[in-house]
Amino acid sequence: THKRYYFYWQAFFQQFVTLSSRGYRMVAVQYPAFWSHSEWVKGFDRFLDHLRVQQAHLFGAALGGYLALCYTQYRPARVASLVLCSAFID
């Protein structure tokens, strides 16, 4: 499991470094606890509103990928593109 975690971190880190060096504004998010998908979507909406972001390119790994999929399902107009790494769905 440690190697798997390292893979996720490395994939995220490489994307972050590459895109930020090309001029993209990158924001890494550590989200607080939410008790439902709809609460998380509303919370992420508030976060994007606070940053004044109308549309975002999302990159998600593992649980972050699942949450990015959930957000895209409920707020497709706010997602410009979606990149997933080892995301899972139910």
Side-chain angles (χ1 to χ4, degrees), residues 68-83:
L69 283 166
C70 287
Y71 188 76
T72 303
Q73 178 182 2
Y74 292 106
R75 301 288 193 271
R78 288 198 87 170
V79 179
S81 67
L82 181 62
V83 178

Side-chain angles (χ1 to χ4, degrees), residues 8-19:
Y8 296 144
W9 176 84
Q10 187 67 22
F12 173 79
F13 179 77
Q14 289 299 322
Q15 292 292 324
F16 205 89
V17 169
T18 301
L19 293 171

Side-chain angles (χ1 to χ4, degrees), residues 33-53:
F34 289 100
W35 302 108
S36 70
H37 296 108
S38 62
E39 283 183 22
W40 187 87
V41 168
K42 290 175 188 174
F44 196 64
D45 262 342
R46 287 191 304 271
F47 176 72
L48 292 178
D49 290 344
H50 179 76
L51 294 176
R52 297 182 181 154
V53 172

